[in-house]
Amino acid sequence: DIVMTQSPDSLAVSLGERATINCKSSQTVLYSSNNKNYLTWYQQKPGQPPKLLIYWASTRESGVPDRFSGSGSGTDFTLTISSLQAEDVAVYYCQQHYTTPLTFGQGTKVEIK
Amino acid sequence: EVQLVESGGGLVQPGGSLRLSCAASGFTLSSYWMHWVRQGPGKGLVWVSRINSDGSTTTYADSVKGRFTISRDNAKNTLYLQMSSLRPEDTAVYYCTRSSTGTWDQWGQGTLVTVSS
């Protein structure tokens, strides 16, 4: 199984400041035939289902604010919130869909400092 | 509007069975692979199972293999998860999700399954 490890488990950031979440996979999620990273980021607010933010590691889903960006390739990935807003308080998950079992990181809780 | 609505959750005793349904609307279910994902109380997300667009191929997490069965009725625009031999550790909110370009772009609100005596 591919193990997804996020860091940190939680972080507190001041409004307007940058938040950075890391995600490391135990093996590559880069599919060589199409050069795509099978890595997705989701946001989950309390009492709600997850919401798709970023797919293919760096493609922002339609309607997602451009303060959210994803980067990385192979086994190391980053989700960046460039200027944290109050509505960004949530738990963020990375997930690989390179192979089954499809696996998630443990989640990173983002709060306001 | 694209919508996924789960139902069928509830309280069940260990060893019991339950069937979850996921009604799709606003899109053609038969065009998409579908998945079930669960989330235990205060826990993270765990993939459970997936089914291809015509129902001919299914895959399961090891933790549910042999106990859960995913199926679909495209004519009824509905996805199912038949759960048997339920254990306390199966207690979770169960979400159905739609797979698009490999990612899950639509999620239902979830249905709570509680396994307890």
Side-chain angles (χ1 to χ4, degrees), chain A residues 44 91 93 105-107, chain B residues 38-46 89 91-92:
Chain A
Q44 187 178 32
V91 178
Y93 295 93
Q106 77 276 20
Chain B
R38 68 185 181 184
Q39 186 169 35
K43 302 283 185 63
L45 300 165
V46 177
E89 55 265 36
T91 294

Side-chain angles (χ1 to χ4, degrees), chain A residues 6-104:
Chain A
Q6 291 181 228
S7 62
D9 289 335
S10 65
L11 75 161
V13 176
S14 300
L15 288 172
E17 295 300 304
R18 178 183 299 260
T20 301
I21 301 169
N22 299 302
C23 174
K24 188 174 183 67
S25 58
S26 61
Q27 62 191 76
T28 188
V29 298
L30 174 62
Y31 195 41
S32 55
S33 65
N34 60 9
N35 202 36
K36 287 187 182 295
N37 287 282
Y38 283 52
L39 189 286
T40 301
W41 289 97
Y42 298 94
Q43 174 195 65
Q44 187 178 32
K45 297 181 180 180
Q48 296 185 18
K51 173 188 173 184
L52 174 62
L53 290 179
I54 304 282
Y55 59 96
W56 302 137
S58 60
T59 301
R60 197 180 305 113
E61 171 71 341
S62 175
V64 172
D66 61 7
R67 63 179 179 274
F68 292 92
S69 64
S71 63
S73 185
T75 60
D76 291 279
F77 302 92
T78 300
L79 175 70
T80 302
I81 310 173
S82 60
S83 175
L84 191 74
Q85 304 300 303
E87 61 264 32
D88 301 334
V89 169
V91 178
Y92 293 83
Y93 295 93
C94 63
Q95 179 239 340
Q96 65 81 19
H97 53 99
Y98 181 86
T99 187
T100 57
L102 309 177
T103 48
F104 292 87

